[in-house]
Amino acid sequence: MTDRAMLRLASAAAIPNPITMDATRHGQIAVIFASHRTRVDAAGYAEASAAMDALAARQPGYRGVDSARGADGFGITVSYWADDAAAIAWRDHPGHASIRDVGRARWYDSYSVAVARVERGYRWTLDESAAA
């Protein structure tokens, strides 16, 4: 065994819950939506956001979503799609387009969208029993 391999094994043994490869998203299209919210109509925004989540989940090729928003209004939502065609179909969906127009007029100061193909992923979860 090489010194490098031994170091890797020793490091993994020292970490109670090591970082592992996560291939579940490999090859999927990630649509990364970074936005800054206005302080206008929080209830309307929450309702529209839930409706968009539900609508997206019913689309062919939908693979999931991760989302977070800070108290300062900055948020990132990453939706995952089976392929480019599915991501483009979501972008062009009439229900999505109409809510996007309302978002531009009311709920967002700014946003950006980036689209990428997932090549690899990693996953780590705190092991509560080891942390105690």
Side-chain angles (χ1 to χ4, degrees):
M1 183 176 287
T2 67
D3 288 343
R4 188 175 183 174
M6 288 176 55
L7 180 59
R8 232 180 295 138
L9 284 174
S11 295
I15 301 171
N17 43 339
I19 296 170
T20 57
M21 285 297 295
D22 181 4
T24 58
R25 298 269 184 227
H26 184 264
Q28 293 180 6
I29 300 302
V31 177
I32 306 156
F33 177 74
S35 64
H36 190 269
R37 283 257 299 112
T38 65
R39 297 186 186 277
V40 175
D41 189 21
Y45 177 81
E47 184 179 324
S49 179
M52 286 300 95
D53 286 349
L55 181 62
R58 293 191 305 269
Q59 301 313 301
Y62 175 82
R63 296 295 182 257
V65 67
D66 294 315
S67 190
R69 183 163 306 279
D72 64 352
F74 180 76
I76 297 177
T77 298
V78 182
S79 60
Y80 298 96
W81 301 90
D83 52 34
D84 285 318
I88 291 168
W90 172 242
R91 179 198 66 195
D92 295 342
H93 188 285
H96 184 210
S98 67
I99 291 296
R100 184 173 50 238
D101 291 343
V102 175
R104 289 175 179 159
R106 177 179 290 171
W107 296 315
Y108 297 114
D109 289 327
S110 63
Y111 71 78
S112 65
V113 177
V115 180
R117 185 173 314 281
V118 177
E119 295 298 327
R120 70 184 148 276
Y122 305 90
R123 182 172 303 279
W124 178 86
T125 303
L126 177 63
D127 180 352
E128 294 290 337
S129 64

